[in-house]
Amino acid sequence: MGKVIVFGSLNMDLTIECDAMPQAGQTVEGRNFLTNPGGKGGNQAVAAAKLGAPTWMIARVGRDLFGDQLCLALESAGVNCTHVDHSDCNSTGVAVITRCAGDNRIILNAGANHEMRAKDVVDILDRLAEPGDLFVTQYECEGRAVIGALAAAKSRGLFTLFNPAPAKPIPAEAYSSIDLIVVNQTECEFLTGLYPSDTDSCQNALARFQALGVGGAIITLGEMGSVCRMGEEIIQVGSYSVPNVDTTGAGDSYIGALACALVQGEAMEQCMRFATKVASLTITRPGAQQSIPYLNEVEAYFKEES
């Protein structure tokens, strides 16, 4: 089995639940405050590691308590943190999350996440990566570093999985470095101009991604499941009905689970079904990394469900 190598953000999530989102100038009562390790990169790495993939993290945190806590959380989940650096200039990234009726709104301070440059990642890949490894990245780190890292990973024989979140433009020349792009409906609309809400709009959006030059594309559709195009093959996978407690870690757990299954050589449809189970179980729990299940929990939950 190859390795999953994640280049991405590490944030400390400060989350609180309320009955209604506050309006301008309004104070509302909250409850269930959590301080929870997060960041899209960290979440995806934790998911891959908890589910059984050898997983390495490339990231930067501050020399502060949050940075120490984030590294400890990654290591306790089984993520190798040899290549998590510490900044002398910026604090650790922080996300302030308000949870309401199973949905969430997020304010992000990138902090040390934006310090890493493409050269930093390339230097690490030259020491760490081998052909057959799987490289995962997102858009919470500095944009040029992300795009440069994708190109470097692709040229070194790694399978590249890109989750362009939060949504930002992707340079036209970068699409050929992406073996698999994974987006939600909002990100899909931002990048293609098409909002995927039914079979036709999904297929048109997937075709547009393919025309841009990616190897394959997956669109996650919430309660409608997910849909994929690899070459001429279209794969549709439904969702699972579960109690919706907190969606914060759902997308990241899907991608981490997908990476884990892909690096183990599973077929795409099986990878998507596994990722859907993991994301479904994740939303039954509050928080980000702490909500992501281990493999035995996924197997036990869906054995009981069936």
Side-chain angles (χ1 to χ4, degrees):
M1 183 196 307
K3 301 185 293 295
V4 174
I5 302 172
V6 181
F7 165 49
S9 56
L10 297 177
N11 299 317
M12 185 59 74
D13 291 349
L14 310 177
T15 80
I16 192 166
E17 184 178 359
C18 57
D19 292 324
M21 291 292 180
Q23 303 302 307
Q26 181 186 20
T27 299
V28 300
E29 291 188 2
R31 60 185 177 275
N32 297 330
F33 177 77
L34 293 171
T35 302
N36 189 36
K40 297 192 73 63
N43 296 345
Q44 293 171 15
V46 164
K50 279 187 169 184
L51 296 164
T55 306
W56 295 66
M57 187 80 213
I58 301 174
R60 186 165 294 174
V61 295
R63 294 188 184 277
D64 49 41
L65 181 60
F66 283 166
D68 294 341
Q69 290 175 334
L70 289 170
C71 290
L72 285 172
L74 289 171
E75 290 168 348
S76 68
V79 179
N80 188 303
C81 293
T82 302
H83 301 293
V84 176
D85 296 333
H86 289 77
S87 170
D88 293 317
C89 303
N90 285 291
S91 61
T92 299
V94 172
V96 180
I97 303 170
T98 304
R99 311 191 310 273
C100 180
D103 205 349
N104 61 76
R105 298 183 186 182
I106 302 172
I107 302 173
L108 180 66
N109 175 29
N113 289 311
H114 272 198
E115 281 190 20
M116 295 199 78
R117 297 295 179 258
K119 182 181 183 302
D120 300 322
V121 183
V122 170
D123 288 345
I124 294 170
L125 289 177
D126 283 340
R127 300 195 301 272
L128 174 63
E130 300 173 301
D133 289 345
L134 192 147
F135 181 77
V136 182
T137 193
Q138 324 77 31
Y139 246 162
E140 281 186 344
C141 291
E142 198 273 330
R144 287 169 297 181
V146 170
I147 298 304
L150 279 167
K154 177 73 172 178
S155 69
R156 285 157 177 75
L158 280 68
F159 184 95
T160 57
L161 192 164
F162 186 32
N163 171 221
K168 301 175 190 176
I170 299 174
E173 65 274 12
Y175 280 99
S176 61
S177 296
I178 303 169
D179 288 311
L180 180 64
I181 191 168
V182 183
V183 294
N184 64 21
Q185 289 164 293
T186 303
E187 294 150 4
C188 178
E189 183 179 32
F190 179 87
L191 292 168
T192 68
L194 299 170
Y195 186 83
S197 58
D198 55 27
T199 300
D200 287 343
S201 57
C202 284
Q203 293 193 6
N204 290 337
L206 290 168
R208 188 158 297 184
F209 276 123
Q210 189 173 53
L212 288 167
V214 301
I218 292 177
I219 305 171
T220 58
L221 304 165
E223 294 180 353
M224 295 185 294
S226 57
V227 61
C228 172
R229 178 167 179 170
M230 297 291 291
E232 297 303 313
E233 183 182 14
I234 303 290
I235 304 167
Q236 179 82 45
V237 170
S239 63
Y240 295 89
S241 179
V242 296
N244 186 346
V245 173
D246 183 4
T247 62
T248 302
D252 294 334
S253 64
Y254 182 99
I255 290 166
L258 189 74
C260 176
L262 285 168
V263 84
Q264 292 178 15
E266 298 288 343
M268 181 58 73
E269 183 172 353
Q270 281 66 48
C271 293
M272 292 171 66
R273 291 192 186 282
F274 177 64
T276 302
K277 290 179 178 179
V278 172
S280 298
L281 183 50
T282 297
I283 70 170
T284 68
R285 308 167 173 182
Q289 290 177 22
Q290 70 182 34
S291 70
I292 298 170
Y294 286 91
L295 179 60
N296 64 319
E297 295 178 297
V298 179
E299 293 171 341
Y301 186 88
F302 286 96
K303 182 178 181 180
E304 292 173 2
E305 288 292 296
S306 60

